[in-house]
Amino acid sequence: MPTSDRAATAALSWLDENESASIQRLIDWLSIPSISTDPQYKVEVKRAAMWCAEQLRAAGITQVEVMPTGEPEGSGHPIVFAHHPGSPDYRGPHVLFYGHYDVQPVDPLNLWDSPPFQPEIKEAIPGGPGRRIVARGAVDDKGQVLMFIEALRAVRFATDKVAGGVKFTILIEGEEESGSVNLDRFVRDHKAALKDCDVCLISDTGMLARGKPAITYGVRGLAYTEVTLRGPDQDLHSGMWGGRVMNPNLALAKVLSKLHDENNRVTIPGFYDKVIPISADERAAWQRLAFDQTDALKKIGLPQSADWGEKGFAPLEREWARPTAEINGIWGGYIGAGAKTVIPSHASAKVSFRLVADQDPAQITQLFFDWIKARVAEIAPGFTVECSDLHGGLGVTLPTDSVHLQAASRAIKRACNVEPALIKTGGSIPVAGLLKSELGISTIFMGFGLDDDRVHSPNEKFEIECFRMGARSHALFIDELTRL
Ligand code: BES
Ligand code: MN
Ligand code: MN
C-alpha cells in the first residue's frame, strides 16, 4: 500500500475512534449564542470566534488570528483568519477554506423542544430523522465547519504533518447570517494574502437527500431591501378619513401585488435582462436527479396543488436557475389585541430578490426602487416611498470539470461509497460571488445538510451520520489534494 492509502485509512479510523469527543466539541461550540444580527450578543459572537481559533491551534495550525472588522475597526464581528504554509514537498493547490461561526436568531423560541443553545443529542425516529444534534447553528454552519477542523486533526494524526501538509488559508467569519457586510472590505484589505489561493472550499450547503452526498456547483445571489410607503403625516380616524384618503396598507398591498404577472414572472422592467438561460444539458441532468416536488411539498404541510412558481420551469429549475422576488415581511397600522379603527400614516415591507448569473444585486435594487416609485405615483398619488438597500451578494455557477471539483468528488466517493450528485442550491453564500469577482477564485461547495434540517427555524438539527460523512469526506479531500 502506498503511504498515502495507509494514512487515509488511519485518518478515517481516528475519526471513528474520536467521534464522541468530536461531538462533545461541537456541543461546546453550539452552546455559545453567536447571533450576529442582534447587537446584544456581540460578546458571545466574539467568544465563538475565540473558541474556533483555539480549535485550529489544537489541530496544529500556528498562524491563527482573530481579526476585528468594520469601520470603525471592531464595529463588525471578528474574522478568524489562519494560514498553514504546507509542507515543503506539497505540490497541490493552495486552498482557502471558508465557513461562518455566526448563527440566525432563535425566534420563535416557544417552538423549540429544547433550548437552542443547550445542544441535545436525540435518538433516531423510525421513518424520520436519524440520530442528531439539535441546536441553533448545528448544521448552519458550526457543525459543518467542525467537520473540517476534525478532519484536520485526523490527518495530522495520520500523517504527522499539520493539515496533511496541504497549504491552507482559513477564513471563518461571524457575519454571514447578517449579510457579510464587512467582508468585502476585509477581502480587499487582504487581497495579497488571498489572491495566492487557487480554490475555495465551503461546507455550508446540503446533500441531494439522506445518504446521497452532493457537490453544489452554484448558489443564487441576493438583493435585500426595505421600503416604507408614507401617506398622511399622522395616523387617522378611519371613520372620519375612510373614503377620503388612500390607506397606506392598501397602497402597499396593491403595489406589491404587481410584482408578479399571470405567469408568476417578476414584472420589473429589465429584471431578466442578464439572466442566463438554462442549457439543454443542465435541464436533462437535473431531470435525471428525479426530484420529487410532491413529496417535498408534503413535508412542509402542503398538497401538490400548492406547487407555485414561474410558468415553464420545473421546481428545481425555479430554485436553482431562475430569479425570484419575495416579500419577507410586511407591516403597518394596528396589530395589537382587539380592534382599533385607524388609517395608519405608513406601511413597510422587506422585499428581497434571489438572483442568478449574471444579475447584479446593485442594479436589481435600483431597478426595483425605480419601479416602486413609479407604482406608488400611479396607485397612491401624493404618497412617498423611502427605499433602503440592506445588503446584497452575487450568485455564482462554477465549472464542473475542474481538477479541484473532481478531487472533491473522488474524496466523497471514497468516504461515503457513493458517487456525489452535482446539484445547485437556491440559497446564497455571498463570499463565493465576492471571491469570483474580486479575485477570480472558484469555490467548491461540499455540504452535508438535509432538506429537513430546519435551517434558520426552531429545532435546527444536524444528523450524526451526515457529520460523519462530512468529516470523512474532508479528510479524504485533504488526502486527494496531496496527490494533485
Ligand atoms: N448556509 C446558508 C445558505 C444555504 C442555505 C445553502 C440552504 C444551501 C442550502 C447560509 O448561511 C444562508 O443562510 N445564507 C443566506 C444569505 C445571507 C446573505 C443572509 C440566505 O441564503 O438567505
Ligand atoms: Mn450557512
Ligand atoms: Mn444561514
Side-chain angles (χ1 to χ4, degrees):
M1 245 202 299
T3 329
S4 192
D5 281 351
R6 218 180 305 132
T9 307
L12 296 183
S13 307
W14 186 96
L15 287 172
D16 273 350
E17 284 154 23
N18 289 275
E19 191 176 88
S20 53
S22 302
I23 299 294
Q24 187 53 53
R25 283 190 278 272
L26 180 54
I27 289 174
D28 290 348
W29 202 10
L30 290 170
S31 304
I32 308 173
S34 50
I35 302 171
S36 60
T37 200
D38 185 343
Q40 245 186 291
Y41 291 88
K42 196 163 169 57
V43 173
E44 300 291 349
V45 174
K46 180 158 186 194
R47 209 153 65 81
M50 307 287 273
W51 189 95
C52 177
E54 216 34 67
Q55 294 302 310
L56 289 170
R57 290 186 192 107
I61 314 273
T62 52
Q63 298 176 36
V64 184
E65 279 188 82
V66 177
M67 302 179 89
T69 69
E71 182 70 73
E73 192 176 273
S75 58
H77 297 301
I79 285 179
V80 181
F81 201 45
H83 182 71
H84 179 64
S87 37
D89 59 343
Y90 179 65
R91 295 282 166 270
H94 178 182
V95 178
L96 173 64
F97 179 86
Y98 166 91
H100 64 93
Y101 65 83
D102 64 320
V103 302
Q104 287 276 332
V106 297
D107 59 284
L109 189 58
N110 62 313
L111 294 184
W112 286 79
D113 296 331
S114 50
F117 298 110
Q118 286 173 34
E120 271 187 27
I121 305 281
K122 301 207 167 134
E123 295 309 321
I125 298 169
R131 191 158 179 266
R132 62 209 181 277
I133 180 161
V134 178
R136 169 59 83 236
V139 63
D140 186 12
D141 182 29
K142 287 172 177 165
Q144 301 218 55
V145 170
L146 203 69
M147 302 181 310
F148 168 70
I149 300 178
E150 294 299 316
L152 288 179
R153 286 180 185 259
V155 296
R156 183 198 188 191
F157 168 82
T159 64
D160 220 17
K161 290 179 190 163
V162 173
V166 172
K167 184 174 184 181
F168 271 114
T169 293
I170 299 168
L171 192 169
I172 301 172
E173 74 155 318
E175 298 189 340
E176 198 274 347
E177 298 293 11
S178 44
S180 298
V181 286
N182 292 301
L183 190 66
D184 289 41
R185 209 159 53 87
F186 186 91
V187 166
R188 265 184 274 116
D189 290 350
H190 295 84
K191 222 173 187 159
L194 292 170
K195 75 165 188 284
D196 183 59
C197 298
D198 298 301
V199 65
C200 177
L201 170 64
I202 299 184
S203 312
D204 192 24
T205 49
M207 304 199 282
L208 181 59
R210 198 167 271 110
K212 292 187 180 166
I215 292 175
T216 297
Y217 69 95
V219 296
R220 285 197 288 187
L222 185 66
Y224 203 112
T225 75
E226 182 170 324
V227 292
T228 295
L229 211 152
R230 292 193 182 279
D233 64 5
Q234 55 202 272
D235 284 3
L236 304 171
H237 189 290
S238 68
M240 291 161 65
W241 285 97
R244 291 167 63 195
V245 286
M246 169 68 102
N247 178 319
N249 277 339
L250 176 63
L252 184 60
K254 277 178 180 272
V255 167
L256 295 180
S257 74
K258 293 194 185 299
L259 264 177
H260 298 89
D261 69 10
E262 65 283 1
N263 292 319
N264 304 330
R265 281 171 65 90
V266 176
T267 57
I268 299 169
F271 186 76
Y272 291 95
D273 283 2
K274 297 200 170 164
V275 173
I276 297 175
I278 306 169
S279 72
D281 283 356
E282 255 185 335
R283 262 209 157 133
W286 297 351
Q287 260 156 26
R288 283 195 297 274
L289 296 175
F291 174 74
D292 188 345
Q293 169 79 340
T294 305
D295 183 57
L297 286 168
K298 202 168 142 198
K299 283 190 179 142
I300 58 164
L302 287 173
Q304 159 65 32
S305 58
D307 184 48
W308 184 93
E310 188 182 357
K311 289 244 166 70
F313 294 93
L316 279 189
E317 294 170 352
R318 278 151 26 202
E319 184 200 329
W320 293 354
R322 300 298 299 169
T324 59
E326 295 298 339
I327 304 163
N328 300 269
I330 179 164
W331 66 101
Y334 186 67
I335 53 166
K340 179 188 181 194
T341 48
V342 64
I343 293 174
S345 87
H346 51 88
S348 302
K350 291 191 189 277
V351 181
S352 69
F353 303 88
R354 292 285 170 176
L355 310 176
V356 297
D358 283 332
Q359 288 176 300
D360 172 41
Q363 195 189 354
I364 293 296
T365 298
Q366 195 52 54
L367 290 175
F368 170 59
F369 290 169
D370 294 345
W371 176 89
I372 198 166
K373 281 173 189 151
R375 295 293 80 69
V376 168
E378 278 165 21
I379 289 165
F383 283 23
T384 56
V385 58
E386 263 164 39
C387 302
S388 54
D389 176 356
L390 297 192
H391 59 75
L394 287 164
V396 282
T397 293
L398 302 145
T400 53
D401 56 0
S402 73
V403 290
H404 308 122
L405 191 139
Q406 273 159 18
S409 181
R410 286 193 300 276
I412 294 174
K413 171 92 199 285
R414 288 169 64 203
C416 311
N417 290 315
V418 34
E419 196 89 44
L422 277 174
I423 64 172
K424 293 179 91 172
T425 176
S428 305
I429 302 177
V431 73
L434 185 64
L435 292 172
K436 188 80 203 165
S437 63
E438 286 279 323
L439 304 165
I441 298 175
S442 289
T443 295
I444 293 159
F445 300 97
M446 204 165 89
F448 292 84
L450 292 173
D451 265 357
D452 61 0
D453 279 343
R454 297 179 184 265
V455 175
H456 296 194
S457 289
N459 301 319
E460 178 180 347
K461 65 149 169 90
F462 193 22
E463 299 198 3
I464 305 296
E465 181 59 28
C466 297
F467 178 85
R468 186 177 299 146
M469 287 165 83
R472 291 168 62 90
S473 299
H474 280 78
L476 293 184
F477 185 48
I478 292 172
D479 178 64
E480 289 287 343
L481 290 168
T482 64
R483 300 175 190 227
L484 287 180

